[in-house]
């Protein structure tokens, strides 16, 4: 193993020497910076790897990999983000899971229920392959540190949300709501939890903190009536769900239709 104490002691002495040298030099002379130069120093795999350091971190790496590769559930078919025009198989799963798991926390804290969930298509970073599902799978799908947030929106803002989806022409993950796209590209027949949209009602919408602040131009979220941060990372939402189920169900329901 590398003698870290000896190395750190030498490093401290070197830093002290440089400090004293420049202090002494600068007290006697004045300098003006005229040019800064730099060059790229290639680092090869052989040069970057030190046997002593590798041996030191190896047990930690193995421990982490063991945790990441722990099997949590089974997926009967591959779910990916290019499976449809207005919705995708993995998008349906993400929105359904956030709605379901988010509701557990929201009910306990606020004694209210989440009505629907909207996420962003670009936030899903990997497929969910057929076969065993592990903790690593959740990290690959959702590598970001986004938290689950619930926003209170008026019914009119839900209409804006549907119009945004139509305008973007992307299969943003949606759960708890359905609507039809008219021939004039206007959202019609908007249903929330199977009931017609009430423009005067307040609805509770689950999303992530990035979108809640207007990310991806979802500005309708910024005009919310109230905001609740569940302090629940989307990645952990996935992990908790995977631990809860044996086999992941595949949602086939249609959420957005065209005339």
């Amino acid at each position: 193993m590398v003698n870290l104490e000896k190395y750190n002691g030498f490093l401290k002495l070197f830093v002290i020497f440089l400090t004293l040298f420049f202090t002494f030099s600068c007290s006697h002379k004045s300098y003006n910076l005229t040019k800064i130069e730099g060059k790229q120093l290639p680092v090869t795999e052989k040069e970057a790897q030190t046997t002593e350091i590798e041996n030191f971190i190896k047990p930690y790496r193995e421990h982490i990999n063991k945790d990441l590769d722990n099997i949590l559930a089974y997926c009967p078919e591959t779910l990916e983000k290019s499976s449809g025009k207005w919705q995708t198989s993995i998008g349906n799963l993400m929105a359904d899971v956030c709605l379901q798991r988010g509701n557990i926390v929201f009910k306990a804290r606020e004694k209210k229920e989440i009505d629907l969930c909207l996420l962003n298509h670009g936030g899903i970073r990997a497929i969910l392959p057929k076969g065993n599902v592990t903790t690593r799978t959740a990290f690959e799908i959702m590598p970001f540190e986004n938290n689950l947030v619930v926003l209170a929106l008026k019914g009119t803002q839900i209409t804006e949300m549907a119009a945004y989806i139509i305008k973007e022409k992307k299969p943003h993950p949606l759960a708890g709501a359905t609507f039809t796209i008219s021939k004039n590209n206007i959202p019609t027949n908007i249903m929330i939890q199977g009931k017609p949209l009430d423009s005067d009602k307040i609805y509770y919408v689950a999303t992530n903190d990035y979108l809640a602040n207007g990310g991806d131009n979802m500005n309708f979220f910024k005009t919310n009536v109230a905001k609740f941060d569940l302090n629940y990372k989307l990645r952990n939402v996935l992990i908790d769900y995977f631990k809860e189920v044996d086999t992941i169900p595949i949602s086939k329901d249609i959420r957005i239709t065209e005339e």
Side-chain angles (χ1 to χ4, degrees):
M1 183 177 295
V2 176
N3 191 330
L4 295 179
E5 292 184 0
K6 182 177 180 180
Y7 174 77
N8 288 333
F10 172 77
L11 183 61
K12 290 178 181 178
L13 290 174
F14 182 67
V15 171
I16 293 172
F17 169 76
L18 287 180
T19 303
L20 292 175
F21 173 78
F22 283 112
T23 300
F24 178 79
S25 299
C26 291
S27 64
H28 290 77
K29 301 178 182 179
S30 60
Y31 297 92
N32 293 319
L33 180 64
T34 58
K35 182 171 62 174
I36 297 177
E37 292 183 342
K39 66 178 181 178
Q40 184 176 4
L41 299 177
V43 179
T44 66
E45 183 179 351
K46 181 178 180 180
E47 292 171 333
Q49 185 173 342
T50 303
T51 303
E52 290 85 352
I53 296 177
E54 174 63 24
N55 291 337
F56 178 77
I57 66 175
K58 182 179 179 181
Y60 297 98
R61 181 192 295 115
E62 291 176 348
H63 178 73
I64 292 173
N65 284 332
K66 182 178 179 181
D67 287 343
L68 288 175
D69 294 330
N70 183 37
I71 298 174
L72 306 178
Y74 178 80
C75 189
E77 65 180 70
T78 297
L79 306 183
E80 37 82 34
K81 58 187 287 185
S82 59
S83 58
K85 180 179 179 181
W86 295 109
Q87 62 188 72
T88 68
S89 54
I90 194 169
N92 286 353
L93 177 69
M94 283 294 303
D96 287 345
V97 170
C98 287
L99 180 59
Q100 176 188 325
R101 298 292 309 179
N103 241 334
I104 297 174
V105 179
F106 195 56
K107 283 181 182 179
R109 292 186 186 178
E110 306 296 332
K111 311 304 179 186
K112 297 176 174 38
E113 291 194 20
I114 301 173
D115 296 294
L116 64 150
C117 175
L118 177 67
L119 302 173
N120 57 327
H121 177 69
I124 301 174
R125 310 301 286 189
I127 66 171
L128 177 56
K130 177 181 178 179
N132 291 331
V133 178
T134 65
T135 303
R136 188 187 300 275
T137 308
F139 273 84
E140 291 171 347
I141 294 173
M142 192 57 58
F144 310 113
E145 298 298 309
N146 294 114
N147 279 340
L148 191 62
V149 173
V150 177
L151 302 174
L153 300 182
K154 297 178 181 179
T156 51
Q157 292 167 307
I158 303 300
T159 302
E160 291 180 32
M161 178 190 301
Y164 167 88
I165 294 174
I166 296 173
K167 180 182 178 181
E168 285 289 299
K169 296 181 180 179
K170 293 180 181 179
H172 293 299
L174 178 68
T178 61
F179 64 89
T180 300
I181 303 173
S182 71
K183 294 180 180 179
N184 296 324
N185 282 333
I186 297 174
T188 62
N189 192 32
I190 301 176
M191 307 289 286
I192 308 297
Q193 293 295 331
K195 297 179 181 180
L197 177 70
D198 184 346
S199 297
D200 298 321
K201 183 179 177 179
I202 297 297
Y203 293 94
Y204 294 98
V205 184
T207 188
N208 65 54
D209 51 358
Y210 166 71
L211 300 178
N213 293 322
D216 280 10
N217 295 317
M218 295 192 184
N219 295 317
F220 48 84
F221 278 147
K222 296 167 66 176
T223 54
N224 59 79
V225 178
K227 181 178 180 180
F228 309 87
D229 191 338
L230 301 187
N231 195 27
Y232 195 3
K233 295 190 185 303
L234 267 68
R235 181 194 311 119
N236 292 338
V237 171
L238 270 181
I239 292 173
D240 290 344
Y241 176 77
F242 292 155
K243 290 179 179 178
E244 187 181 69
V245 299
D246 178 68
T247 300
I248 296 173
I250 309 300
S251 176
K252 301 290 186 181
D253 61 307
I254 304 300
R255 304 178 187 192
I256 301 177
T257 57
E258 296 179 88
E259 286 185 348

